[in-house]
């Protein structure tokens, strides 16, 4: 109609908020820019609670995920079973992530792992693992699709808690069920200082047993 001024365009901040809300509600937006969200932000650090995963020696296993710029990440798991009944095995996965809504779960996003160099996305130290473990891990590394689908990862957009579950059969030799990685900081990352009750360790790389602590939850790694 003549004489009526056109409606002003929405403010930039409002547009960003609307797009973020649409993504979180699964309204067809598959990706959400890192700078526009309150979860999986650059600089964020996540780790599992102490004594929620342990290896066959009873040593707690720390899993740490770090978010970097441009949606890049590094996920590293330490203190895995290694040769000579030690606990110095480690695996690392790196690359970048895409986010997709989880059907019927409006506050969860599926974290899809991507890499520009899949052949180097999965690394580990083959000198510390047993022959059998090295064979299993090499089966993952040699197939790019196996590398990027090795874990099933989701994030709760309200709490910023990341849930990680091994999907690849070789990884399930180390742990089997989902584990929550909670937001923390570099200063608060824990290292093993005790052994699961009924086990003798040793603590990784020390040759000492440390003291034992009871744990009332279910084991995620077969003991």
């Amino acid at each position: 109609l003549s004489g009526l001024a056109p409606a002003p365009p929405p403010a930039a901040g409002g547009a960003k908020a609307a797009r973020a809300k649409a993504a979180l509600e699964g309204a067809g937006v598959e990706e959400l820019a890192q700078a526009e969200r309150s979860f999986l932000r650059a600089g964020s650090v996540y780790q599992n609670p102490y004594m929620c995963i342990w290896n066959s020696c009873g040593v707690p296993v720390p899993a740490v995920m770090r978010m970097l710029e441009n949606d890049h990440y590094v996920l590293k798991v330490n203190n895995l079973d290694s040769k000579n009944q030690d606990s110095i095995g480690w695996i690392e996965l790196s690359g970048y992530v895409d986010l997709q809504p989880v059907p019927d779960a409006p506050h969860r996003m599926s974290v899809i792992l991507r890499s520009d160099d899949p052949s180097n996305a999965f690394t580990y130290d083959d000198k510390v693992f047993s022959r059998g473990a090295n064979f299993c891990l090499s089966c993952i590394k040699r197939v790019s699709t196996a590398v990027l689908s090795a874990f099933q990862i989701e994030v709760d957009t309200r709490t910023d808690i990341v849930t990680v579950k091994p999907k690849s059969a070789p990884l399930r030799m180390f742990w089997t069920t989902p584990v929550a990685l909670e937001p923390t900081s570099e200063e608060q990352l824990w290292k093993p200082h005790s052994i699961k009750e009924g086990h003798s360790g040793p603590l990784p790389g020390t040759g000492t047993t440390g003291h034992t602590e009871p744990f009332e939850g279910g084991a995620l790694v077969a003991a």
Side-chain angles (χ1 to χ4, degrees):
L1 297 177
S2 61
L4 294 180
K16 288 183 178 180
R19 188 153 67 92
K21 184 175 185 295
L24 298 183
E25 292 177 351
V29 179
E30 293 188 352
E31 299 179 4
L32 184 60
Q34 192 174 34
E36 299 174 8
R37 62 185 187 236
S38 60
F39 56 93
L40 294 181
R41 294 176 65 90
S44 295
V45 181
Y46 306 85
Q47 187 178 37
N48 56 306
Y50 192 67
M51 291 293 283
C52 79
I53 317 175
W54 52 78
N55 64 23
S56 62
C57 297
V59 174
V61 173
V64 177
M65 182 173 179
R66 293 177 173 89
M67 289 301 299
L68 312 176
E69 297 289 344
N70 300 317
D71 278 328
H72 282 72
Y73 74 94
V74 176
L75 173 61
K76 188 170 185 178
V77 184
N78 282 305
N79 304 132
L80 298 173
D81 290 329
S82 56
K83 292 189 296 188
N84 302 319
Q85 295 185 328
D86 210 337
S87 304
I88 58 175
W90 60 267
I91 59 174
E92 182 175 289
L93 192 63
S94 61
Y96 64 94
V97 302
D98 284 340
L99 300 176
Q100 296 181 358
V102 176
D104 303 319
H107 298 293
R108 299 190 69 82
M109 301 286 282
S110 180
V111 181
I112 311 300
L113 305 182
R114 310 288 190 195
S115 177
D116 294 325
D117 185 12
S119 63
N120 291 313
F122 182 68
T123 57
Y124 59 95
D125 186 351
D126 60 3
K127 296 186 297 295
V128 302
F129 286 109
S130 68
R131 181 179 299 179
N134 275 325
F135 173 77
C136 292
L137 295 174
S138 68
C139 291
I140 298 175
K141 187 173 180 62
R142 72 168 62 104
V143 181
S144 61
T145 54
V147 169
L148 299 178
S149 62
F151 292 97
Q152 177 181 335
I153 304 178
E154 293 184 0
V155 59
D156 187 314
T157 60
R158 298 166 299 181
T159 63
D160 197 22
I161 292 177
V162 178
T163 303
V164 178
K165 178 182 179 181
K167 287 178 59 180
S168 174
L171 291 180
R172 290 200 294 271
M173 66 186 293
F174 297 114
W175 94 75
T176 57
T177 60
V179 61
L181 306 187
E182 301 174 350
T184 185
S185 65
E186 294 288 350
E187 296 74 21
Q188 294 177 321
L189 291 175
W190 58 261
K191 294 182 179 180
H193 56 77
S194 57
I195 304 299
K196 181 188 173 189
E197 189 175 31
H199 293 71
S200 58
L203 288 173
T206 66
T208 59
T209 59
H211 68 281
T212 61
E213 289 187 359
F215 182 73
E216 297 179 355
L220 299 187
V221 176

